[in-house]
Amino acid sequence: MNKLTALNSCTVSNAKCLCFDYLTAEEIELIDKNSIDVKYKKGETICKHGTIAPHVIYLKDGLAKIYLEGLNDSLILKIIPPGNLIGLTSILEGNNTFHYSSHTYEDSAASLIDIKIFKQIISQNAKFAASIIDMLCENSLQTFGRFFCLKHKQLYGRLADILLCLSERIFKKEEFVLKLSRKELAELSGMSTESLIRMIKKFKDDDIIEMQGKTIKIMNFELLHKISEYG
Amino acid sequence: MNKLTALNSCTVSNAKCLCFDYLTAEEIELIDKNSIDVKYKKGETICKHGTIAPHVIYLKDGLAKIYLEGLNDSLILKIIPPGNLIGLTSILEGNNTFHYSSHTYEDSAASLIDIKIFKQIISQNAKFAASIIDMLCENSLQTFGRFFCLKHKQLYGRLADILLCLSERIFKKEEFVLKLSRKELAELSGMSTESLIRMIKKFKDDDIIEMQGKTIKIMNFELLHKISEYG
DNA sequence: GCAAAAAACTGATTTAAATCAGTTTTTTTT
DNA sequence: AAAAAAAACTGATTTAAATCAGTTTTTTGC
């Protein structure tokens, strides 16, 4: 496989959150005692860039995005499916703030784990720490790929990336229901809403996808991969 | 300070490589025995994306870039000044390859640290591991900022970012000698060579910088910061 | 020191994608 | 069920930046 095929603007990393598998019984209890379970409605804010980060967030259910906000623009860094952490970079020593904002795409549930306890366990449990390191590395790789593709690929290739990511990594089905507006899907693909609509039309005309309402079905994976690869 | 001011396409992270300060005498010896010192000429390749990563690279002297290569384009992820690590993400379990390429900007010297030994020390020394986690977090933040700015800021703002980064973070002087061609500087700013030349001209005409050959002097930091901030 | 090559620069043109200005369709509210 | 609001869509226009096609300047090698 060539280098380029490895780069895509996919919105989720390969990282599985395995770190909790390495906890002792006491550590699990410690985390349980120092966590708060929360439910979020669709569209709610989970965390806000620049505010103090009192916890690391484990998304148990639902779907969320993490993003950076500018004056006019915002940039989606990644999508968080269930079983992933939000705010891992906030464990950084000497800067206990959230480094991005997060927002739910659908009704979601999360555990808010006290960040001090989280850091304490990192310092006392080497396997847990190693697992965190792995996740941070995976997150970096995902960001690198997305960075490259949003900077260099054209609209066509970017939409192909997103569709493949949704189908293969997030929903793991060729047909899925994506509860996002065109505006949100455009933001995710890093393009304007109008451009997104035009691209979707092209994909439909070329029989690459079928789309009815919020249901998307990938009809031609092979071609979609080629479009993703060649930009 | 508002969120936006925190985002820049600066090419170096704030991370200081402190991890080696936490080693025991034996661990230092272990690393010494399992490291190779190498000298690179200007323009040499330090590591190549996709190849096996037998070591983590500590840049002792010189200047390097790490970047992703596409078919036509390449994307500079960051600049590595002396005292920083290259290839830290390669410690990721189950994927011992380099996740980017690296190339020297000037004559440089590095220590190649055996990656197995490096990982062994992570697993046995919690403070070392915590320091690695810190560096990974800092690297992520730097990438986020650069990602946002290269995606959303215009040429003018991007060049301002790079100039500020070079002056304030890398050379730590208002006047510095940058041994890069226009082409390399353009690549660093994520724009075409012609665009870079036009932007430099604008900056000179507006008395923001002075430039003679490879010597750059920042004349108006305040304005440069404003340009960086407002894009 | 001169020729050749590379780098720096300039102006004109092209292009990809955003923006603008709408219309149509769908959803929500009353 | 009708009105209002929001979302989806369409075509025309604009714009930022790349590309193209050169010229001038600097560097390199013989």
Side-chain angles (χ1 to χ4, degrees), chain B residues 43-94:
Chain B
E44 274 193 276
T45 297
I46 296 178
C47 67
K48 191 83 186 148
H49 189 181
T51 62
I52 298 290
H55 36 248
V56 170
I57 298 147
Y58 178 73
L59 193 73
K60 292 198 291 187
D61 208 28
L63 198 65
K65 63 173 173 178
I66 64 177
Y67 62 102
L68 299 173
E69 282 174 284
L71 289 174
N72 315 303
D73 296 301
S74 84
L75 174 71
I76 297 184
L77 294 169
K78 61 188 294 196
I79 288 187
I80 309 290
N84 285 79
L85 292 173
I86 296 168
L88 193 52
T89 57
S90 300
I91 60 177
L92 176 61
E93 214 49 56

Side-chain angles (χ1 to χ4, degrees), chain A residues 47-65:
Chain A
C47 66
K48 192 83 186 147
H49 189 180
T51 62
I52 298 290
H55 35 249
V56 170
I57 298 147
Y58 178 74
L59 193 74
K60 293 198 291 188
D61 208 28
L63 198 64
K65 64 173 173 178

Side-chain angles (χ1 to χ4, degrees), chain B residues 103-116:
Chain B
H103 190 98
T104 57
Y105 272 140
E106 24 179 284
D107 293 354
S108 302
S111 268
L112 314 185
I113 304 165
D114 186 291
I115 201 165
K116 278 186 190 150

Side-chain angles (χ1 to χ4, degrees), chain B residues 107-108 137 197 217:
Chain B
D107 293 354
S108 302
C137 289
I197 289 166
K217 186 176 181 183

Side-chain angles (χ1 to χ4, degrees), chain A residues 153-155 190-192 194-195 198:
Chain A
K153 283 189 189 175
Q154 301 191 188
L155 300 185
M191 61 183 76
S192 70
E194 295 93 328
S195 292
R198 276 181 262 266

Side-chain angles (χ1 to χ4, degrees), chain A residues 78 90 95 109 137 169 213:
Chain A
K78 61 187 295 195
S90 300
N95 183 353
C137 289
R169 297 214 201 178

